[in-house]
């Protein structure tokens, strides 16, 4: 397997730690006051993968693999994917909504191996670019189980999707109706579409991940009548068929209310489409957006409670509008994969900035997880090789990039003995981390390693330094 020289470096450090190791203790930071003798993983039980345990060495294990061994074998940073957690989340979601169509939102994380898992679990999949479509098709994902999204789909992306036979295309704006119709006519197919609308609902989440408000760049506006006009244009097109209506209101949402309000708005639209155009709406797609725990104490929506409420709300709305209950569809990404991954890093420099604060720097950062910088997202962290030691010092986990905002987590409590060469585990990094990864500062992107039943295999290899110059033309 290919490794980066930096990976080799970090492995060396594990074998031969430098003689002078700087510890928080040596820096004069306060001695531990809080001793956690209970199950040291209890606080983070919901944040970590379901297989997370502590072994006899006091190390964190995932999928039966010692994370310290994983860091040694595969180098750091590395994303550890717990297959069991992903499958469990998928099954829980499907059994909470047994009659719904569940699309996995590929933007959260995508690889060909993951496409296979998604397929094996019988999920559908939401792709939002020609690139995601390409990965799915190259993994032989059944095209009829794909939906293509995007607020600015390219003509070639639309054509490829139509020609491949994708099950749904989400129409995002008025002009797209004609472009999708032309591609379908050209391919000689009848293309099912759903209308993505902006229902005017603003959930309580970071503003960069609110997508369903009136002024959103996504979706057909409802107030101006664009959504109804799109339905009319689909109706008169001979190559399109209106399968349903769709709204994705945002991401990492922790309350029911924005979803139930969206259901009401979508039913009002369905009712208007029926009364104006005589078209029945067969499916209501509520997108994704279900929040997950990132740090100890996070209380996301309980899945079964949410399922009962949303199902009841759809039935009641259908009844109120004297309609057949439409099929419910969902597109969860974060909910299915967020807690299934943990990123491992190696501790490097520790810098004390005050008697009670220090930066603990690791060998990754915003290039493998941009979310803290982009959304002020919060993460927790553990010293994977010292889980049984009392966690007493609050530190900031800093990345290695040339940006002051490159901080992976603030207020993380670590043992006073934390020192160069320790392995840091940051949980809940499955969604929107690797898929948003970059080569900023010419940092090779890390490997993604699947762990299951005590064995580990590379799902996506780490980039090498040579990968960084692969696209450059010869000098
Ligand atoms: N569906 C659509 C159309 C989206 O834009 C997104 C995320 O941006 C999702 C589903 C998935 O959202 P989440 O990962 O929060 O469930």
């Amino acid at each position: 397997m290919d490794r980066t020289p930096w990976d080799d470096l970090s492995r060396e450090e594990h074998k031969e730690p430098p003689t002078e190791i700087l510890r928080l203790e040596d820096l004069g930071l306060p001695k531990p006051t809080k001793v956690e003798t209970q199950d040291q993983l209890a606080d983070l039980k919901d944040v970590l993968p379901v297989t997370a345990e502590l072994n006899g060495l006091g190390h964190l294990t995932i999928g039966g693999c010692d994370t310290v061994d994983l860091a040694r074998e595969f180098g750091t940073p590395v994303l550890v994917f717990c297959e069991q957690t992903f499958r469990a989340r998928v099954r829980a979601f499907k059994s909470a909504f047994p009659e719904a169509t569940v699309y996995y939102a590929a933007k959260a994380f995508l690889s060909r191996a993951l496409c296979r898992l998604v397929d094996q679990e019988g999920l559908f999949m939401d792709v939002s670019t020609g690139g995601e479509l390409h990965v799915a098709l190259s993994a032989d994902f059944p095209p009829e189980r794909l939906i293509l999204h995007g607020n600015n789909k390219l003509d070639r992306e639309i054509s490829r999707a139509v020609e491949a036979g994708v099950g749904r295309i989400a129409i995002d704006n008025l002009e797209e109706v004609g472009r999708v119709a032309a591609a379908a006519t050209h391919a000689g197919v009848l293309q099912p579409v759903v209308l993505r609308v902006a229902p005017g609902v603003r959930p309580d989440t970071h503003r960069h991940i609110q997508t369903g408000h009136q002024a959103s760049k996504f979706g057909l506006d409802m107030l101006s009548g664009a959504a109804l006009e799109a339905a009319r244009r689909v109706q008169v097109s001979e190559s399109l068929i209106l399968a349903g209506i769709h709204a994705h209101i945002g991401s990492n949402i922790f309350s029911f209310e924005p979803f139930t309000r969206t259901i009401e708005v979508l039913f009002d639209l369905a009712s208007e489409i029926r009364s104006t155009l005589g078209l029945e709406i067969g499916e209501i797609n509520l997108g994704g957006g279900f929040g997950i725990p990132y740090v100890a104490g996070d209380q996301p929506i309980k899945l079964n409670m949410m399922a009962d409420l949303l199902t009841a709300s759809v039935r009641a709305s259908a009844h109120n509008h004297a309609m057949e209950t439409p099929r419910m569809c969902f597109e969860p990404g974060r909910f299915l994969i967020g807690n299934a991954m943990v990123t491992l890093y190696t501790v490097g420099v520790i810098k004390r900035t005050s008697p009670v604060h220090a930066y603990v720097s690791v060998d990754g950062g915003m290039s493998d997880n941009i979310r803290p910088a982009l959304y002020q997202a919060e993460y927790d962290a553990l010293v994977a090789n010292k889980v049984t030691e009392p966690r007493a010092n609050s530190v900031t986990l800093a990345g290695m990039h040339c940006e002051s905002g490159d901080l992976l987590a603030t207020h993380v409590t670590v043992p006073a003995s934390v020192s160069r060469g320790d392995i840091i585990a940051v949980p809940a990094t499955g969604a929107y981390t690797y898929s948003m990864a970059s080569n900023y500062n010419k940092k090779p992107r890390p490997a993604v390693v699947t762990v299951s039943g005590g064995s580990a295999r590379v799902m996506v290899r780490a980039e090498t330094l040579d990968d960084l110059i692969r696209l450059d033309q010869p000098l």
Side-chain angles (χ1 to χ4, degrees), residues 105 107 126 149 196 246 248 251-252 288-290 331-334 432:
K107 55 185 79 64
D126 142 19
H149 274 287
R196 175 172 180 173
H246 173 288
H248 169 77
S251 214
N252 208 26
F290 310 109
E331 297 167 345
R334 184 189 316 270
Y432 307 103

Side-chain angles (χ1 to χ4, degrees), residues 135-435:
V135 174
L137 294 177
S138 78
D140 295 327
F141 193 86
E144 65 280 8
R145 283 200 262 138
L146 292 174
I147 182 169
L148 176 69
H149 274 287
N151 67 305
N152 183 24
K153 301 176 190 74
L154 306 178
D155 284 336
R156 62 173 182 274
E157 295 176 322
I158 294 172
S159 299
R160 178 145 191 225
V162 168
E163 280 155 25
V166 301
R168 300 279 184 272
I169 293 184
I171 300 280
D172 205 89
N173 48 69
L174 263 184
E175 61 150 297
E176 221 169 70
V177 183
R179 292 168 61 223
V180 176
T185 303
H186 183 74
V189 299
L190 186 60
Q191 178 62 53
V193 298
V194 298
L195 302 180
R196 175 172 180 173
V197 302
V201 175
R202 196 187 279 274
D204 184 16
T205 187
H206 192 279
R207 70 188 171 84
H208 290 171
I209 47 176
Q210 294 170 335
T211 51
H213 49 292
Q214 192 67 39
S216 169
K217 75 168 185 170
F218 297 103
L220 292 148
D221 179 42
M222 296 193 44
L223 288 184
S224 67
L228 186 63
E229 172 58 15
R232 195 192 59 74
R233 292 189 193 181
V234 170
Q235 185 181 34
V236 298
S237 160
E238 286 181 1
S239 55
L240 302 180
I241 182 157
L242 185 61
I245 49 180
H246 173 288
H248 169 77
I249 52 173
S251 214
N252 208 26
I253 299 167
F254 273 51
S255 61
F256 307 111
E257 203 255 337
F259 290 106
T260 49
R261 253 189 310 139
T262 302
I263 290 171
E264 284 169 21
V265 176
L266 289 183
F267 269 93
D268 288 344
L269 175 64
S271 180
E272 197 181 2
I273 290 174
R274 182 183 56 179
S275 61
T276 316
L277 305 172
L279 288 175
E280 294 291 341
I281 294 301
E283 65 188 43
I284 298 267
N285 189 326
L286 289 171
F290 310 109
I292 61 163
Y294 277 100
V295 296
D298 270 355
Q299 297 281 341
I301 312 173
K302 298 259 179 299
L303 179 62
N304 287 329
M305 242 191 200
M306 178 181 67
D308 290 348
L309 221 117
L310 299 194
T311 308
S313 170
V314 165
R315 289 200 181 125
S317 294
H319 178 78
N320 293 342
H321 289 279
M323 284 178 188
E324 292 275 313
T325 306
R327 168 174 284 274
M328 287 168 86
C329 304
F330 295 98
E331 297 167 345
R334 184 189 316 270
F335 187 86
L336 301 182
I337 203 156
N339 297 106
M341 288 199 208
V342 167
T343 307
L344 303 178
Y345 302 96
T346 302
V347 173
V349 170
I350 297 176
K351 176 181 175 179
R352 178 181 156 181
T353 52
S354 82
V356 290
H357 179 262
Y359 285 108
V360 171
S361 296
V362 295
D363 53 353
M366 63 196 299
S367 58
D368 59 79
N369 188 355
I370 188 82
R371 295 191 64 253
L374 198 58
Y375 309 134
Q376 291 77 53
E378 288 183 22
Y379 285 90
D380 230 314
L382 286 169
V383 180
N385 53 315
K386 293 178 174 168
V387 183
T388 49
E389 289 186 29
R391 297 209 282 156
N393 293 102
S394 177
V395 300
T396 296
L397 199 62
M400 53 162 290
H401 291 283
C402 305
E403 292 286 329
S404 293
D406 176 31
L407 305 174
L408 286 167
T410 47
H411 311 301
V412 171
T413 51
V414 294
S417 71
V418 70
S419 51
R420 172 176 285 275
D422 280 345
I423 301 300
I424 297 282
V426 175
T429 53
Y432 307 103
T433 54
Y434 189 86
S435 62

Side-chain angles (χ1 to χ4, degrees), residues 118-129:
V118 170
D119 184 19
Q120 279 169 17
E121 291 293 328
L123 289 183
F124 288 53
M125 191 150 67
D126 142 19
V127 291
S128 56
T129 61

Side-chain angles (χ1 to χ4, degrees), residues 7-17:
D7 294 338
D8 289 328
L9 229 165
S10 62
R11 274 201 312 287
E12 279 311 303
E13 283 163 3
H14 295 308
K15 278 184 224 136
E16 292 174 83

